[in-house]
Amino acid sequence: MNPVNLKLLAQKLNLSIATVSRALQDSHEVSTQTKERVKALAAELNYQPNAYASSLRRNVSKTIGVVIPEVNNHFFSLAINGIEAVARQQGYHVLIYLTHEDHDREADITQYLTGGRVDGLLMSVAASASQDFSHLKKLYDSKPAIVFFDRVCEELPTASVTTNDYESGYLATQHLIEAGCRHIVHLMIAGNLSIGRMRMQGYHAALESHGIAFDETLVVNGSDDDDGNTHLITDLLRQRPEIDGMFASVERLAISSYQACQALGRAIPADVKIVGFSNLGVASLLNPALTTITQPAYEIGREAATILLRAIEKKHPILPSQSVVLNSTLFPRRSTARD
Amino acid sequence: MNPVNLKLLAQKLNLSIATVSRALQDSHEVSTQTKERVKALAAELNYQPNAYASSLRRNVSKTIGVVIPEVNNHFFSLAINGIEAVARQQGYHVLIYLTHEDHDREADITQYLTGGRVDGLLMSVAASASQDFSHLKKLYDSKPAIVFFDRVCEELPTASVTTNDYESGYLATQHLIEAGCRHIVHLMIAGNLSIGRMRMQGYHAALESHGIAFDETLVVNGSDDDDGNTHLITDLLRQRPEIDGMFASVERLAISSYQACQALGRAIPADVKIVGFSNLGVASLLNPALTTITQPAYEIGREAATILLRAIEKKHPILPSQSVVLNSTLFPRRSTARD
DNA sequence: CTGTTAGCGCCTTCAA
DNA sequence: TTGAAGGCGCTAACAG
């Protein structure tokens, strides 16, 4: 299969490569006729410019990278949808990398990404126990624009798109308190995540302002082992029958908490009330009492991509002041066909 | 920020670019000492080869593309997980493109992809009404290796990774029949999909072999509008009170069917029994009666990526005979902590 | 309006 | 074992 490149087109048309190139870019300095001729042949031969040659020459790749912990997670899926929509609209390609919450993997990935492969990066950091962000700093120094979303690395002076996590945590907890709960478990994901801290602080503050003592033993650190989490919660519920409420700061923990209650035969919401983060429409179907907090995941993706691409196009650096905080939707009931 | 490239390294080391290049590739024809020197400096300056220059020169990109309808869908999320795992392990990058079930969009995307941007392509075709695969044929002729997964374009002589859809459809329907159902709705996604046809044929055959007449009016073609689907099903259930079973060939239709029953106050499984494809663990939590068929999505992704990358690496063409059919898991109950 | 030329950064003959 | 040179395909000066 002989390659269809500018040289071939030029030969067939008795033109120079440069003219063909210009014609295909609708340059003003090419006669309308030759433009037509060139484009006609290009279409006929199904010419497609070599992206790598072009990237090499112009030093831009029209490609962004998305680095996230998992894709098998409704929040990130929806975010990718938003990212892809914006990228596509602006002619950008999207490379995807999954860290699986692994710090070393994340470091590996960011390492590769310093090679000019991407013009910019959208990132949600892995929930590693370590506080070591040296790989991110290296990446940041190297070149590409970075915008964080949801899970932020606060040590880099760049923009981020997040949700009102503190407030959500506060309201979720307050909701439980107002519903009569006095012994509220906080289910959070292990690791050192900005969002985890914020939600935790909201939980803490809500307890305090309602005169309920913070009980450290009611805080559960989940892992990425769902069954393990369910066991953890089941055991806690068994040992502490006074528990009457749970605030799950991650979707899968909300589901685990639901399963734990089922396993023990404790009724929801009669015995235990649950409020959980969930970006999955179905979760609220599980039980009308499983109150949910939904993040605007798609919009987060769109917003983050928009900020990033704007900066790339205009060659502006990205400043922390461009950060955006969106609001989660609290306590919606998923409408059924009959509402 | 001055770029760290071979030239720079060569200058600093008083070596030629060629030697530096060879040293970094562990070429046999470079002395151990200079290799050390080169690598040391490269590490110190955090040298990262320019991927585009390399791709241009070697005419391989170490990049594969994944073209799927949606990412916000457990099946595809899981598949991507599998794909990414294999790709990463073999040093490949993954570009992602979403068609949103739109034929024109799919054509656009495949058009871009003929430019040598990817060495290969994993694809699950959009559920368009049209039978027009000319864009795929063009792509196929152009160069990159293609492996289809789940949703196949049967007109291209390449490999695919699918599941036993006919059998699943048959067994699902048989399950309902054996449970006493006589008026079984088939909920399928609109469009011209290989998997839809296979599952439909299974449904059809099961009815036939159990002496139940096929009733065309019990086949519902859903769209990608979930609420619309729920309404559609609700209306059907209202008009045809004799309906006692539903087979949903897509996850979201399973959920819609559940919601429709709820809306009408029809008990599951007492009044209506449902069997549905679902790759989402939670779905079976909805109701123990919502029996599920689960595809090995992660393995499908792994398998498809493995076939593709093997072909790329060995520069073998991909043959239809390399196709793989994996088995879905039928009727599992998601185990709870207490099982 | 069109052609010539000079690279982008890298790899790979060929020659020393 | 190393260096010099050419070129992957494309773009962007600079000439004409």
Side-chain angles (χ1 to χ4, degrees):
Chain A
M1 181 115 17
N2 61 336
V4 183
N5 51 25
L6 291 183
K7 192 157 103 185
L8 183 75
L9 295 182
Q11 281 172 357
K12 296 219 178 203
L13 292 165
N14 274 323
L15 286 171
S16 76
I17 295 176
T19 305
V20 176
S21 172
R22 278 187 285 239
L24 291 172
Q25 294 175 71
D26 256 340
S27 164
H28 313 278
E29 18 175 308
V30 173
S31 76
T32 322
Q33 315 171 33
T34 43
K35 263 193 211 172
E36 294 305 322
R37 283 210 308 146
V38 171
K39 287 185 184 174
L41 186 66
E44 185 193 330
L45 299 184
N46 199 26
Y47 167 75
Q48 210 58 31
N50 182 310
Y52 297 125
S54 172
S55 290
L56 178 59
R57 182 60 232 257
R58 297 159 68 138
N59 200 30
V60 291
S61 62
K62 281 274 179 188
T63 302
I64 60 173
V66 177
V67 181
I68 53 176
E70 311 273 354
V71 66
N72 180 23
N73 171 317
H74 249 61
F75 174 78
F76 291 116
S77 296
L78 286 167
I80 289 177
N81 249 326
I83 291 167
E84 206 264 357
V86 173
R88 194 142 182 62
Q89 191 193 341
Q90 307 213 26
Y92 277 75
H93 298 254
V94 179
L95 280 167
I96 197 163
Y97 300 91
L98 307 180
T99 64
H100 298 284
E101 305 284 15
D102 181 43
H103 179 269
D104 292 346
R105 204 152 169 164
E106 186 175 277
D108 271 4
I109 291 166
T110 52
Q111 174 72 4
Y112 290 137
L113 257 27
T114 58
R117 193 179 280 272
V118 297
D119 295 336
L121 209 54
L122 293 171
M123 186 156 187
S124 209
V125 306
S128 79
S130 107
Q131 267 285 41
D132 174 23
F133 291 132
S134 57
H135 60 297
L136 296 182
K137 286 176 190 155
K138 221 183 243 176
L139 177 65
Y140 179 78
D141 290 339
S142 110
K143 195 175 75 179
I146 306 177
V147 173
F148 289 101
F149 67 99
D150 200 48
R151 299 167 171 206
V152 172
C153 170
E154 286 152 335
E155 302 187 20
L156 294 191
T158 187
S160 61
V161 178
T162 51
T163 45
N164 54 344
D165 291 303
Y166 173 85
E167 193 187 354
S168 299
Y170 189 97
L171 291 175
T173 310
Q174 186 177 48
H175 176 82
L176 290 168
I177 294 170
E178 287 174 351
C181 302
R182 286 298 170 270
H183 304 276
I184 302 170
V185 169
H186 180 36
L187 303 162
M188 60 187 296
I189 199 165
N192 208 316
L193 285 178
S194 47
I195 53 170
R197 278 201 303 279
M198 299 304 284
R199 291 170 191 178
M200 174 58 143
Q201 282 168 22
Y203 163 80
H204 200 285
L207 291 182
E208 205 160 57
S209 66
H210 288 79
I212 300 178
F214 172 69
D215 180 350
E216 203 183 334
T217 63
L218 289 181
V219 175
V220 176
N221 274 295
S223 68
D224 56 355
D225 169 16
D226 286 332
D227 287 340
N229 291 336
T230 305
H231 275 107
L232 219 59
I233 301 167
T234 308
D235 287 346
L236 182 64
L237 282 175
R238 196 168 13 224
Q239 286 160 27
R240 308 282 296 271
E242 76 271 24
I243 289 171
D244 49 12
M246 298 204 263
F247 166 44
S249 73
V250 198
E251 178 163 309
R252 40 177 14 170
L253 287 173
I255 294 168
S256 281
S257 66
Y258 177 82
Q259 291 186 295
C261 287
Q262 292 236 311
L264 291 178
R266 302 201 60 184
I268 308 172
D271 299 343
V272 182
K273 294 181 179 59
I274 302 177
V275 176
F277 270 83
S278 166
N279 297 292
L280 173 59
V282 209
S284 62
L285 284 176
L286 279 176
N287 190 306
L290 201 153
T291 309
T292 57
I293 304 172
T294 306
Q295 296 177 279
Y298 182 79
E299 287 72 22
I300 291 175
R302 284 195 63 90
E303 191 65 39
T306 303
I307 293 173
L308 182 68
L309 293 188
R310 181 152 40 216
I312 292 171
E313 292 285 327
K314 302 203 173 171
K315 306 196 173 172
H316 282 336
I318 297 181
L319 301 174
S321 60
Q322 295 174 53
S323 295
V324 173
V325 178
L326 300 175
N327 286 330
S328 295
T329 309
L330 299 181
F331 319 134
R333 287 288 152 71
R334 178 131 168 62
S335 66
T336 66
R338 272 309 153 127
D339 276 0
Chain B
M1 184 118 12
N2 61 335
V4 183
N5 50 26
L6 291 183
K7 193 158 102 186
L8 183 74
L9 294 182
Q11 280 172 357
K12 295 217 177 207
L13 292 165
N14 273 325
L15 287 169
S16 75
I17 294 176
T19 306
V20 177
S21 172
R22 279 187 281 240
L24 291 172
Q25 294 175 73
D26 256 337
S27 165
H28 313 280
E29 16 175 308
V30 172
S31 77
T32 321
Q33 318 171 29
T34 43
K35 263 194 211 171
E36 293 304 323
R37 284 213 303 146
V38 171
K39 287 185 183 173
L41 186 64
E44 184 193 329
L45 298 184
N46 199 27
Y47 167 76
Q48 209 60 32
N50 182 310
Y52 297 125
S54 171
S55 292
L56 177 60
R57 181 61 231 261
R58 301 159 80 133
N59 201 29
V60 291
S61 62
K62 282 278 181 182
T63 303
I64 60 172
V66 176
V67 181
I68 53 175
E70 312 272 354
V71 66
N72 180 24
N73 172 318
H74 249 63
F75 174 78
F76 290 115
S77 296
L78 285 166
I80 289 176
N81 250 327
I83 292 167
E84 205 265 355
V86 174
R88 191 139 185 63
Q89 191 192 343
Q90 308 214 25
Y92 278 75
H93 298 254
V94 179
L95 279 167
I96 196 162
Y97 299 91
L98 308 179
T99 64
H100 297 285
E101 305 285 15
D102 182 44
H103 179 269
D104 293 345
R105 203 153 169 162
E106 185 174 279
D108 271 4
I109 291 167
T110 52
Q111 174 73 2
Y112 290 138
L113 257 29
T114 59
R117 192 178 281 272
V118 297
D119 295 337
L121 210 53
L122 293 171
M123 187 155 183
S124 208
V125 307
S128 78
S130 108
Q131 266 286 43
D132 173 23
F133 291 132
S134 57
H135 61 296
L136 295 182
K137 286 177 189 153
K138 218 182 248 177
L139 177 66
Y140 180 76
D141 291 338
S142 110
K143 195 175 71 177
I146 307 179
V147 172
F148 289 101
F149 67 100
D150 199 50
R151 299 168 173 203
V152 172
C153 171
E154 286 151 335
E155 303 188 20
L156 294 192
T158 186
S160 60
V161 178
T162 51
T163 45
N164 55 343
D165 291 303
Y166 173 86
E167 194 186 353
S168 300
Y170 189 96
L171 291 176
T173 310
Q174 187 176 49
H175 176 83
L176 289 168
I177 295 170
E178 287 174 351
C181 302
R182 286 299 170 269
H183 304 276
I184 301 171
V185 169
H186 180 33
L187 302 163
M188 61 187 297
I189 201 166
N192 208 315
L193 285 179
S194 48
I195 54 169
R197 277 200 304 280
M198 300 304 284
R199 291 171 190 177
M200 174 61 143
Q201 283 167 21
Y203 162 80
H204 200 285
L207 291 181
E208 205 160 56
S209 65
H210 288 80
I212 300 180
F214 171 70
D215 180 350
E216 202 185 335
T217 61
L218 289 181
V219 176
V220 176
N221 275 295
S223 67
D224 55 355
D225 169 16
D226 286 331
D227 287 340
N229 292 336
T230 305
H231 275 107
L232 219 60
I233 301 166
T234 308
D235 287 347
L236 182 65
L237 282 176
R238 196 168 11 222
Q239 286 161 27
R240 308 281 296 270
E242 75 271 24
I243 290 170
D244 49 11
M246 299 205 261
F247 166 42
S249 73
V250 197
E251 178 164 309
R252 41 177 14 171
L253 287 172
I255 293 168
S256 282
S257 67
Y258 176 83
Q259 291 186 295
C261 288
Q262 291 236 311
L264 291 177
R266 302 199 61 181
I268 308 171
D271 298 342
V272 183
K273 294 182 178 60
I274 303 178
V275 175
F277 270 82
S278 166
N279 296 293
L280 174 59
V282 208
S284 62
L285 283 178
L286 280 176
N287 191 306
L290 200 155
T291 308
T292 57
I293 303 170
T294 306
Q295 297 176 278
Y298 182 80
E299 287 72 22
I300 291 175
R302 283 196 63 91
E303 191 63 41
T306 303
I307 294 174
L308 181 69
L309 293 188
R310 181 152 41 217
I312 291 172
E313 292 284 328
K314 302 202 173 172
K315 304 194 175 175
H316 282 336
I318 298 181
L319 300 173
S321 59
Q322 295 174 52
S323 294
V324 172
V325 178
L326 300 175
N327 286 331
S328 295
T329 309
L330 299 181
F331 320 136
R333 286 289 151 72
R334 178 132 168 60
S335 66
T336 64
R338 276 306 151 131
D339 276 0

